[in-house]
Amino acid sequence: PGLKRKNDVDKAALSIVSGARQPSKTPLLRVSLRPTTSPAVLGPYQCGRTFIIGPNPRVRVPDDEKYLSFDEKQADLNWSLCDDGIAPEGDAYRNAPLKKLVSFAVGTLDKAKALNVNRKAFAQPTVYSTVDGALPGAKLLTANQFEKIMKKTQDYFDHASNIFVSDGALGSYGPQEIGMRAIADTSCVGLYYNNVLVKLPMRDPLQFRRPIIVYSGLKFKIFQPEAVGLQPTPFIALDPSSGHIIAAGPLPTPLVRSVVTSLAGMKLPNPTETFMLKAHTFVTPSNTTALLFGASLSALPPSVFKHLYAAHNTFWSAAGISRVFAGFTVESATFPSVKGGLVEHFEGPSLKTTYVTSEVPCKIANVIDAPASIVFFVTDTTGTVPPIAKITSAQASQLAGQVVALPSQAEAFAAKIKSASIPAYIVNSHGQTKLALETNVAIASLAKDAAPIANWGAVSPLAAKSLAASI
């Protein structure tokens, strides 16, 4: 009571902090200072302030030059980052436009106005998780180890010259929407998330709900990583309970996406009503929907991408089909880039490839009709799987376990396929993918006159194995 100026509020906060150092095992304490004087006196500071106090107080007393050099919205963004454990000393940018991101990027714009960057892939990255079995092949971390790594990550971002924040969602349909924040130390990583996250109406950053937070430090390295249970390589670590992902170093784009997808499945608001599928969704010229399972985007001809509605993963609920991601990534050095996209050229002893990331071109609605056809792309070099064949709903249901992102949904999804009686096809993508799609412009009718498959008993295990390996 009686604090009349913004500086008085800051000094009061500092005095509280200076006397609040506790033993290392004491939990963090959150203190809110609410001014009791007239809002007219405090102006833009009338909302009050929140400080986090703990063993190593993650507190900075803001000054006008560092924190409020933009406007009041910039201050709100910085305070929201404090809620994420980061007290930024530099500038922070939220959902920055292409022009702003390019101005900070170490890269070049191509003729299509996509940002091209070169990355050195120094070593094979390592994947970690605090929950056994949450990620295939992940090494196990204890909660205490993850907490130590997180503290080092937050300290790194505290001192970053610039922070690029991407706020958006996984899921284009409201009831399935999962809020996500990506915090990056470089603008090119920020551009990636701006392409793949579903855009939302600009909300107050302090009120933005974000069950998933990704701390993506392209330049972030941990000194003596063995001390916190890490190998000396780029890494990505997941803690499902907090919804936090730490991505450190130059990581292949598909790896980051797969970890985000796994966490999104755990955070799905209504998993009993919504299937999360490992599928690309296309909308045909006749406005019907087709699900493609097991198809590699890199193997598809660029001409069909104008029909692409959802890439990599798809939500299927009673309302219809909706996107998980707003963008897609193709592993190809020749795929045409588009304005606002990102082209990453990786080169190193463990990886030499190019990833092209762009927004999906077909944005007709946030949710579209249920599929009119289902296509399974499998790779078989033995000649057992025919080039194109029609399969029954019962046969298609046997492959359900290989195409759901959540294993717990396999049985229910198999029942849905069986009961829906949706036309289903199987395509041997060994040398046939481009041929099949180029000669069937209407993607949903890949094989109107395809003969029923005669040797399903031999084809089924090959198809299941191929689908499991394709994702």
Side-chain angles (χ1 to χ4, degrees):
L3 298 178
K4 298 184 180 299
R5 299 190 310 277
K6 170 253 180 185
N7 285 340
D8 290 335
V9 177
D10 287 341
K11 289 177 182 177
L14 184 59
S15 66
I16 293 173
V17 171
S18 63
R21 297 183 183 276
Q22 302 293 329
S24 60
K25 293 185 179 180
T26 301
L28 292 176
L29 173 67
R30 189 181 300 272
V31 176
S32 293
L33 300 179
R34 301 289 173 182
T36 58
T37 54
S38 166
V41 176
L42 291 172
Y45 308 101
Q46 62 191 39
C47 61
R49 298 185 167 215
T50 299
F51 296 85
I52 301 172
I53 302 172
N56 298 303
R58 190 174 297 283
V59 176
R60 307 282 189 275
V61 178
D63 59 82
D64 289 347
E65 284 72 31
K66 282 187 177 179
Y67 281 76
L68 303 175
S69 56
F70 290 86
D71 51 28
E72 186 180 351
K73 292 182 180 179
Q74 174 71 15
D76 289 343
L77 173 58
N78 281 327
W79 288 119
S80 75
L81 285 169
C82 286
D83 287 337
D84 301 328
I86 299 171
E89 292 182 354
D91 294 327
Y93 302 86
R94 187 187 189 210
N95 295 354
L98 176 63
K99 185 176 180 180
K100 175 64 71 175
L101 292 172
V102 169
S103 69
F104 286 100
V106 180
T108 58
L109 286 179
D110 58 22
K111 292 182 180 179
K113 292 190 177 180
L115 180 62
N116 284 245
V117 295
N118 295 318
R119 302 208 189 288
K120 291 183 179 179
F122 293 104
Q124 187 67 29
T126 309
V127 181
Y128 301 92
S129 174
T130 58
V131 176
D132 192 18
L135 296 171
K139 296 180 181 296
L140 192 61
L141 286 176
T142 65
N144 185 51
Q145 286 174 319
F146 188 90
E147 183 180 349
K148 291 179 179 178
I149 299 167
M150 175 57 71
K151 187 170 293 186
K152 291 179 182 293
T153 304
Q154 291 167 335
D155 287 342
Y156 167 77
F157 277 101
D158 279 353
H159 303 292
S161 300
N162 297 289
I163 295 177
F164 301 91
V165 177
S166 298
D167 284 346
L170 302 172
S172 61
Y173 178 52
Q176 299 150 359
E177 178 184 297
I178 306 168
M180 174 175 151
R181 166 169 286 184
I183 304 170
D185 62 343
T186 56
S187 62
C188 56
V189 177
L191 180 59
Y192 168 76
Y193 287 110
N194 281 6
N195 272 280
V196 300
L197 289 179
V198 175
K199 291 178 174 55
L200 298 172
M202 206 62 168
R203 300 168 182 168
D204 181 349
L206 291 168
Q207 304 299 324
F208 176 59
R209 292 186 66 255
R210 42 193 184 277
I212 296 177
I213 303 176
V214 180
Y215 299 79
S216 192
L218 181 65
K219 302 176 182 178
F220 175 46
K221 293 181 180 179
I222 291 182
F223 179 66
Q224 294 181 338
E226 296 85 355
V228 289
L230 298 177
Q231 295 182 1
T233 61
F235 70 90
I236 186 164
L238 166 67
D239 179 38
S241 61
S242 64
H244 292 167
I245 296 172
I246 302 171
L251 300 171
T253 303
L255 174 62
V256 178
R257 187 186 65 244
S258 67
V259 176
V260 170
T261 300
S262 298
L263 184 55
M266 302 175 201
K267 301 293 183 180
L268 192 60
N270 46 0
T272 59
E273 301 174 9
T274 302
F275 295 108
M276 188 174 184
L277 307 175
K278 297 182 284 189
H280 311 299
T281 300
F282 285 81
V283 176
T284 72
S286 57
N287 286 328
T288 59
T289 306
L291 291 182
L292 272 64
F293 296 108
S296 169
L297 289 182
S298 305
L300 304 183
S303 59
V304 306
F305 275 78
K306 62 184 177 182
H307 302 294
L308 181 62
Y309 172 80
H312 310 298
N313 294 93
T314 296
F315 283 138
W316 186 359
S317 65
I321 293 292
S322 58
R323 304 181 191 89
V324 176
F325 298 102
F328 67 93
T329 298
V330 175
E331 185 177 359
S332 171
T334 59
F335 190 84
S337 59
V338 298
K339 182 179 180 179
L342 176 67
V343 183
E344 301 169 283
H345 304 282
F346 279 84
E347 186 167 356
S350 63
L351 184 67
K352 185 175 182 179
T353 190
T354 297
Y355 295 110
V356 181
T357 300
S358 303
E359 292 186 7
V360 294
C362 185
K363 299 179 181 179
I364 54 176
N366 288 336
V367 60
I368 58 176
D369 292 339
S373 61
I374 298 174
V375 185
F376 297 92
F377 282 81
V378 301
T379 301
D380 171 50
T381 59
T382 67
T384 305
V385 180
I388 298 175
K390 188 173 184 179
I391 60 177
T392 66
S393 297
Q395 291 169 338
S397 68
Q398 296 177 26
L399 303 175
Q402 311 302 324
V403 297
V404 289
L406 305 178
S408 59
Q409 295 184 334
E411 187 175 343
F413 186 59
K416 184 174 184 67
I417 293 178
K418 200 169 184 178
S419 62
S421 298
I422 299 172
Y425 304 92
I426 192 166
V427 172
N428 187 349
S429 57
H430 178 62
Q432 296 291 333
T433 304
K434 291 186 178 181
L435 173 65
L437 289 173
E438 286 176 346
T439 57
N440 295 274
V441 178
I443 301 172
S445 57
L446 268 171
K448 287 183 178 179
D449 55 351
I453 198 161
N455 56 338
W456 179 248
V459 168
S460 176
L462 292 173
K465 183 178 180 180
S466 177
L467 289 168
S470 66
I471 302 299

